[in-house]
């Protein structure tokens, strides 16, 4: 349950107004911690404009993204499948502690030096104090988005390379879901090995390099996030071993000055 002072505790406006994207980490957490069948809460959303997390089921075919399902019609204005609505008009998230990272970071976005309230946020007036974006909670969550997204892109790229090798053969959606869950089960072991403190530091420095350092840093003395990504790539590359290794996906590097 959300804390009583949390303005999200009874609102639910955003839960009725968006198609919420789901990354691999989100999917794995909801399946393992809530014991849910993926078919009960996600759907394959056809992408009008392919992006970095778009996966295919056939070489050269349509790209898809994962999104949270809706209770009724598949429209952005319909309530999320996890939204619990009470007779008195209040509503709350039924999986609040395990909700996707896109939900965790709403209504904030990255800004110089931390976070900022989204101009078009659906939150009621005065829901957030002026100093709220400065809270470390938001900064940490927004750093986590980068790790989730960039790792998921590597997972997607490996799958798409395999799809391209099948010469037009179509794979069912269930195969993609099974692949993602298997990969993240092993990535969870990597996170356990690192521990919460080291993982937090990886996220805090994600995609940043000291001034003057080459982007292709050597393994000796390389930043912790690079080491993490290499190890994650070792896990991801172990699937479909007949494929040659892929180059690292494009990551926007921030240079620390």
């Amino acid at each position: 349950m959300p804390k009583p002072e949390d303005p999200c505790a009874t609102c639910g406006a955003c839960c009725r107004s968006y198609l919420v994207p789901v990354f691999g980490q989100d999917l794995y957490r909801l399946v393992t911690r809530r014991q849910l069948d993926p078919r009960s809460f996600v759907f394959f959303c056809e992408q009008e404009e392919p992006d970095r997390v778009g996966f295919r089921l056939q070489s050269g075919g349509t790209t898809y993204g994962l999104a949270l399902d809706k209770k009724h019609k598949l429209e952005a204005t319909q309530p999320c499948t996890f939204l619990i609505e009470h007779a008195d008009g209040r509503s709350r998230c039924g999986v609040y502690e395990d909700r996707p990272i896109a939900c965790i970071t709403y209504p904030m976005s990255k800004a110089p030096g931390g976070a900022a309230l989204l101009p078009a946020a659906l939150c009621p007036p005065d829901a957030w104090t002026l100093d709220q974006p400065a809270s470390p909670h938001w900064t940490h969550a927004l750093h986590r988005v980068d790790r989730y997204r960039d790792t998921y892109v590597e997972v997607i790229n490996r799958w798409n390379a395999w799809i391209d090798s099948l010469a037009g053969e179509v794979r069912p959606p269930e195969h993609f879901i099974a692949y993602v869950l298997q990969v993240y089960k092993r990535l969870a072991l990597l996170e356990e090995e690192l521990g919460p403190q080291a993982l937090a530091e990886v996220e805090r420095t994600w995609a940043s390099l000291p001034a003057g350092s080459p982007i292709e840093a050597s393994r000796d003395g390389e930043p912790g996030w690079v080491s993490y990504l290499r190890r994650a790539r070792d896990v991801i590359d172990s699937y479909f071993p007949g494929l040659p290794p892929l180059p690292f996906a494009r990551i926007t590097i921030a240079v620390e000055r």
Side-chain angles (χ1 to χ4, degrees):
M1 282 283 293
K3 295 180 180 179
E5 66 271 17
D6 186 344
C8 300
T10 60
C11 177
C14 59
C15 306
R16 300 182 181 89
S17 305
Y18 299 107
L19 292 178
V20 178
V22 174
F23 291 161
Q25 183 75 32
D26 301 322
L27 178 70
Y28 177 76
R29 186 172 63 252
L30 283 164
V31 168
T32 57
R33 294 182 59 169
R34 298 283 173 165
Q35 303 299 306
L36 295 173
D37 184 332
R39 293 171 295 183
S40 71
F41 68 90
V42 294
F43 74 97
F44 281 41
C45 182
E46 184 174 335
Q47 295 184 325
E48 295 182 2
E49 296 183 9
D51 61 19
R52 296 173 63 205
V53 295
F55 57 89
R56 299 188 299 275
L57 301 176
Q58 181 180 28
S59 179
T62 300
T63 61
Y64 301 88
L66 294 179
L68 287 185
D69 206 349
K70 296 290 188 173
K71 283 187 176 180
H72 309 300
K73 295 185 295 183
L74 275 176
E75 295 179 358
T77 55
Q78 292 296 314
C80 171
T81 187
F82 290 130
L83 187 65
I84 298 175
E85 300 175 280
H86 298 283
D88 61 3
R90 294 181 302 116
S91 59
R92 65 180 179 85
C93 175
V95 293
Y96 189 80
E97 296 300 327
D98 300 309
R99 66 200 187 283
I101 192 67
C103 302
I104 291 173
T105 56
Y106 190 86
M108 301 295 172
S109 64
K110 275 191 169 182
L117 185 68
L118 288 166
L122 301 177
C123 306
D126 303 321
W128 305 99
T129 59
L130 293 177
D131 62 346
Q132 183 63 219
S135 168
H137 162 78
W138 297 112
T139 303
H140 296 164
L142 290 166
H143 283 314
R144 186 166 298 123
V145 170
D146 292 340
R147 179 173 71 88
Y148 279 17
R149 180 198 60 237
D150 291 338
T151 304
Y152 188 44
V153 167
E154 295 289 346
V155 173
I156 292 293
N157 286 350
R158 192 69 177 169
W159 168 268
N160 284 342
W162 178 65
I163 288 293
D164 288 343
S165 74
L166 299 181
E169 182 181 346
V170 180
R171 307 309 299 174
E174 292 79 7
H175 285 198
F176 174 76
I177 294 293
Y179 159 72
V180 171
L181 293 176
Q182 289 172 20
V183 171
Y184 277 91
K185 182 177 182 179
R186 291 182 58 189
L187 290 177
L189 297 177
L190 173 57
E191 293 187 11
E192 290 178 11
E193 181 183 339
L194 288 173
Q197 187 171 351
L199 197 60
E201 181 64 13
V202 163
E203 292 175 347
R204 186 187 70 80
T205 59
W206 191 266
S208 63
L209 289 174
S213 297
I215 291 180
E216 293 297 331
S218 67
R219 290 178 181 264
D220 295 333
E222 67 185 7
W225 70 268
V226 176
S227 176
Y228 170 87
L229 193 56
R230 287 191 196 278
R231 295 181 66 184
R233 273 292 301 269
D234 288 341
V235 170
I236 297 165
D237 285 352
S238 69
Y239 291 86
F240 315 122
L243 297 175
L246 297 172
F248 277 93
R250 177 181 60 82
I251 295 177
T252 300
I253 302 294
V255 177
E256 298 176 345
R257 300 189 182 279

